[in-house]
Amino acid sequence: MSGEPVRLTVGATEVAEYVLDPALDARHGPRPYLHPVRTLGGTVVTDALPADHVWHLGASLAVQDVDGSNLWGGRTYVRDVGYTWRDDHGVIAHTGDVERSPGRYAHDLQWRDRAGGVLLTERRWLTASMVAPGAWRLELESVLVAPDDREIRLGSPATNGRPGGAGYGGFFWRAAADGEPAVFTADAAGEETVNGSAAPWLALTGAGSGGGAYTLVFTGLGRDDRWFVRTGMYPGVCVAFAFDSPALVPAGGSRHGRYRVWVADGTLDRDGVGALVTTVP
């Protein structure tokens, strides 16, 4: 890694490290990412560079098809061909600090193609705050802006022809879990049911490698976004921008997202999750 990570704290407790400029192979989708993220009790709830999908980097923004550039990492899904290694990997690059304090950080970024051309510019804010005993909340806000003379298409393996609900790409969280975690919304449970849904919130409960139980609660779907969820193959949750159809950032226009993740010690049920997400602030 190059440079020191940004360290987010809640009170006196460090809850997350944010790596700004990882020294990674281009095929792994270099981009800023959060890892490790911890509960207040110290349980690590993210995974980075796992052997099964080396390009999964904790919690990050990443899209596999940004106007033909792979900013996710790994093989690219090609219609009627399948996953293929291609020389199409770009980078999401930190370009400058905007604000820095113990519980808040903001910076500017560029989403670049393999030749260094700028596909999108971004301003991103991250905030960590206490919400309840044993729980804190991460908020990541992002504004993506397209060039004045060009619309930018955001796609996924699903929009490029892969079946099976593989519409990933967006705000993605690769969780750390010992065994298969449980996933549920207010009215559904299980990977097959919640994948592709548009529920207002989604919860994942599991145990870290040290045995500590945790609950993650996600909100932040935009109008056409969907949840992409995996628990069997690996533990991951994504606010998917292009789950079943491409998303467009119009020329000179922007795409705004605000993603919130409640990070709690212990295993919460639906009632506990409902109480958590309505906690002020």
Side-chain angles (χ1 to χ4, degrees), residues 30-259:
R31 58 193 183 271
Y33 65 92
L34 289 148
H35 177 75
V37 179
R38 304 178 181 88
T39 68
L40 293 172
T43 298
V44 175
V45 295
T46 51
D47 196 2
L49 303 167
D52 55 36
H53 293 77
V54 182
W55 47 91
H56 286 183
L57 303 177
S60 69
L61 284 175
V63 176
Q64 198 194 63
D65 181 355
V66 183
D67 244 27
S69 292
N70 183 336
L71 300 186
W72 174 271
R75 295 175 297 165
T76 299
Y77 193 86
V78 179
R79 188 179 298 276
D80 299 325
V81 176
Y83 281 110
T84 305
W85 283 110
R86 302 179 67 182
D87 189 14
D88 62 353
H89 294 89
V91 62
I92 301 175
H94 162 76
T95 57
D97 291 350
V98 174
E99 177 185 352
R100 187 189 291 245
S101 64
R104 184 170 169 85
Y105 178 70
H107 66 138
D108 290 327
L109 308 95
Q110 291 181 343
W111 294 41
R112 300 171 181 163
D113 63 23
R114 63 178 294 274
V118 178
L119 299 163
L120 295 162
T121 58
E122 181 189 0
R123 178 159 291 184
R124 185 181 300 178
W125 299 260
L126 298 100
T127 306
S129 57
M130 178 74 78
V131 292
W136 66 279
R137 185 180 67 204
L138 171 72
E139 180 172 289
L140 189 153
E141 185 172 2
S142 167
V143 178
L144 294 167
V145 180
D148 289 338
D149 60 350
R150 177 183 176 188
E151 72 174 16
I152 299 296
R153 176 189 180 277
L154 306 178
S156 68
T159 65
N160 289 330
R162 182 185 168 184
Y168 56 82
F171 174 60
F172 178 69
W173 190 291
R174 173 64 191 251
D178 184 5
E180 184 172 345
V183 64
F184 58 92
T185 64
D187 56 6
E191 175 185 323
E192 292 186 2
T193 305
V194 302
N195 186 53
S197 71
W201 59 258
L202 183 144
L204 183 144
T205 63
S209 59
Y214 68 82
T215 301
L216 303 174
V217 186
F218 300 85
T219 68
L221 292 185
R223 183 180 62 183
D224 296 320
D225 298 340
R226 296 293 183 269
W227 295 114
F228 169 81
V229 179
R230 290 289 185 263
T231 57
M233 182 183 300
Y234 60 81
V237 174
C238 184
V239 175
F241 297 166
F243 189 84
D244 50 22
S245 60
L248 295 177
V249 185
S254 63
R255 177 187 176 93
H256 176 253
R258 178 178 292 169
Y259 317 108

